[in-house]
Amino acid sequence: MSGADLDEDDPFEEQREEIENPMKRLFLEYGSNYTGAAVVGIIASFFARILDLLPALMLGIAIDAVIRQDIPYAEAFPIGSGFVGPYVPDGRMAQFWLTVGIIAGSFLLSAVFHWTRNWGFNTFAQNVQHDIRTDTYDEMQRLDMGFFADKQTGEMMSILSNDVNRLEKFLNDGMNSLFRLLVMVVGIGGLLFAINRQLALVALLPVPLIAVFTYLFIQTIQPKYAAVRSTVGKVNSRLENNLGGIQVIKSSTTESYESDRVEDVSREYFDANWGAIRTRIKFFPGLRVLAGIGFVITFTVGGLWVTQGPPGPFTGGLSTGMFVVFILYTQRFIWPMAQFGQIINMYQRARASSARIFGLMDEPNRVGEEPDAPDLEVTEGRVKYDNVSFGYDEEPILEDIDFTVEGGETLALVGPTGAGKSTVLKLLLRMYDVDEGEIRVDGQRVQDVTLRSLRESLGYVSQDTFLFYGSVEENIKYGTFDADREDVIEAAKMAEAHEFIQNLPEGYDTEVGERGVKLSGGQRQRLSIARAILKDPDILVLDEATSDVDTETEMLIQRSIDDLAEDRTTFAIAHRLSTIKDADQVLVLEGGEIVERGTHEELLENGGLYSHLWGVQAGEIDELPQEFIERAQRRQARTEAGDDD
Ligand code: ADP
């Protein structure tokens, strides 16, 4: 079966196609660490299945040798009669009890082997799953931010959870079924041939038919399942989107419009699913018919044989007991055969999943470091951007950014939205790497030092602060895990956060994050500032750190930020220009270029973009030159056309 693919609109198609033989890689790179468990599982599976076949065989033997007494006990064994001969006791009842003993023993022993098999396969599958998940996560964390912007987090989640789980399912259930199938085919097939070659051919007649039937079924159902998966995706995105935007829906009273849209996607899912169900519910009855035909033919031929001697072209003898064994075994043959298709299906899905996983692991798009990179050593905290150019995609965003911040100084970045201010800072943090030029901290190129040391030296307070699940204290301590409660409170006080934290239901132990107490934007921002204060970094990076707080709080925080920035190199992006009035240097960015630079006073005197922005914020809108307003309008139009967020 070719890779008639399961995930049609797979976002990782590109990478997946580059991965050759992902299953081989899975077994070599991950499976090989747990070969012992896998071998134990395989051997135990073999014995468990063989033992499972024993009771039916013993029943046949008992019918022939004990109940009807047609054949001597040892000779009733279709194979190994020479081996059992010496151990067979004389006397009917003794032989009866021997049979009971063998059947009981085989059940007991088989239970032990089943346990061992499950232990082996599960140990193998769970460990491989665990290793792959943690490795994939580690690799994913090292990808550059561009990767996260392109591939949505939903897709990452899907790889880390669905794909990894699918692998586990194959490694456990799939391999289990595969070995059962092998043992059944070889074991039962072999036994049937040993008992009566001619009748075996009759009994196995439907097997190729079942194989073809199953194959056709899988071919038909696969595209239908793909359609189901794709519509499930649509339903989920629609629901997620609507739940997220419920406030907008309510306020614009578009409930019925949205209900219709949900109904539409749900109907699509219904139709797709119904298509798959129609095919699926035909399969098992179809299989039953095929199996039934086989059963009837075997029963007829075998029955005639036992009652009247070999029918038609057949020759030789068939005992009643062995006829019973035939009937029982043929029955047990059918279902593992029917699972054959499912195993192939599981294998293909696992193959696609491991290709996606390895695709993610091999994604080259990452900010890396040399294996023997030294740590960054901050002495003065001098940061130099040397003709830096950068673009997220092909399109350049920053051009020829060139400036130096002396140790301990504060550099402010101002300019209209979309000018590239945040991007300048992201390059320092190495969320992305520059395309041209270089960034140096105390003479060391940021690409040459370890990422860890670089980011540890930088304290980043951003405009959208993310809180992790956990208490307020844990969130402040995030990254400075050895801080104690007093340090945390000290930092919170400096960030003007202590007061509101005390008013939370459980103070510093209050759970926040998505599942916990909701904090306002300003409160989150203050926690983030406290986090930076606690970290006590060499270089402070403030990306509109106070954008979300009211003017009064801003004034208070500003004081503590000023204290914090006092003796350390600080980068500050601010919309409210009053907050950066005292900066040692102000860079005005527009369209990715530095258009003005100087101190607040110098820039005001210049009468350029900065002085106009200042004018706007001072409320002197009437005094602005017409040209400035027109430029702002053009920019606005560009931003709105360019991105929709
Ligand atoms: P500012 O901080 O001055 O508002 P940014 O540095 O955030 O500006 O953005 C500069 C430009 O880069 C904008 O045009 C924005 O749309 C674009 N941009 C920002 N982040 C990304 C990203 N992850 N991928 C692609 N383009 C981006």
Side-chain angles (χ1 to χ4, degrees), residues 414 586-590 593-598 602-604 606-612 631:
V414 302
V586 178
L587 296 185
V588 184
L589 258 72
E590 194 186 10
E593 287 175 63
I594 300 176
V595 291
E596 283 173 48
R597 62 175 90 203
E602 285 165 3
L603 291 173
L604 278 189
N606 263 358
L609 179 59
Y610 184 86
S611 69
H612 299 318
R631 252 168 65 191

Side-chain angles (χ1 to χ4, degrees), residues 228-478:
V228 172
R229 268 193 301 278
S230 133
T231 47
V232 169
K234 278 195 209 169
V235 173
N236 286 346
S237 329
R238 167 72 35 223
L239 291 178
E240 230 175 80
N241 197 276
N242 283 21
L243 289 179
I246 191 75
Q247 199 170 344
V248 181
I249 296 176
K250 280 180 182 294
S251 61
S252 37
T253 60
T254 46
E255 286 95 340
S256 63
Y257 171 71
E258 291 300 339
S259 294
D260 287 348
R261 293 216 287 186
V262 169
E263 179 167 352
D264 286 348
V265 284
S266 182
R267 172 67 54 189
E268 252 183 75
Y269 170 70
F270 180 98
D271 291 340
N273 215 2
W274 195 239
I277 290 170
R278 271 208 305 267
T279 308
R280 200 173 56 218
I281 57 179
K282 282 183 214 145
F283 175 65
F284 286 102
L287 202 62
R288 221 166 260 283
V289 170
L290 284 180
I293 293 173
F295 183 87
V296 171
I297 295 176
T298 312
F299 185 82
T300 314
V301 175
L304 288 174
W305 206 316
V306 173
T307 48
Q308 303 181 347
F314 299 103
T315 53
L318 178 70
S319 68
T320 315
M322 288 308 117
F323 169 56
V324 172
V325 172
F326 250 89
I327 293 298
L328 289 176
Y329 278 174
T330 344
Q331 284 299 291
R332 299 186 59 176
F333 209 77
I334 304 301
W335 298 111
M337 275 312 293
Q339 267 191 340
F340 180 62
Q342 221 159 8
I343 297 171
I344 290 186
N345 194 352
M346 255 193 242
Y347 174 81
Q348 284 199 330
R349 281 163 158 258
R351 193 172 185 284
S353 286
S354 43
R356 276 153 59 89
I357 290 168
F358 289 125
L360 178 61
M361 284 200 194
D362 290 354
E363 171 71 44
N365 203 1
R366 65 193 63 203
V367 170
E369 58 186 29
E370 295 298 322
D372 52 354
D375 282 344
L376 172 69
E377 273 175 46
V378 182
T379 46
E380 294 162 44
R382 184 168 187 266
V383 180
K384 187 169 184 346
Y385 276 55
D386 205 354
N387 283 314
V388 169
S389 297
F390 170 77
Y392 289 102
D393 311 306
E394 304 295 289
E395 204 184 326
I397 295 288
L398 295 180
E399 268 175 279
D400 278 339
I401 300 296
D402 199 80
F403 64 84
T404 306
V405 194
E406 295 301 335
E409 281 192 1
T410 294
L411 174 96
L413 291 162
V414 302
T417 306
K421 305 181 294 291
S422 298
T423 309
V424 169
L425 299 188
K426 284 181 197 158
L427 294 178
L428 178 60
L429 282 153
R430 281 197 78 202
M431 295 295 167
Y432 300 90
D433 274 336
V434 299
D435 293 335
E436 274 170 53
E438 46 192 39
I439 302 175
R440 287 176 184 273
V441 177
D442 283 333
Q444 302 145 85
R445 239 164 53 107
V446 290
Q447 275 106 322
D448 294 342
V449 296
T450 56
L451 279 167
R452 190 182 174 82
S453 65
L454 173 71
R455 292 182 185 153
E456 269 174 2
S457 312
L458 297 162
Y460 182 63
V461 183
S462 77
Q463 43 191 322
D464 42 6
T465 305
F466 184 82
L467 296 183
F468 291 90
Y469 298 139
S471 67
V472 169
E473 177 171 353
E474 282 163 352
N475 267 286
I476 295 178
K477 268 164 67 170
Y478 194 80

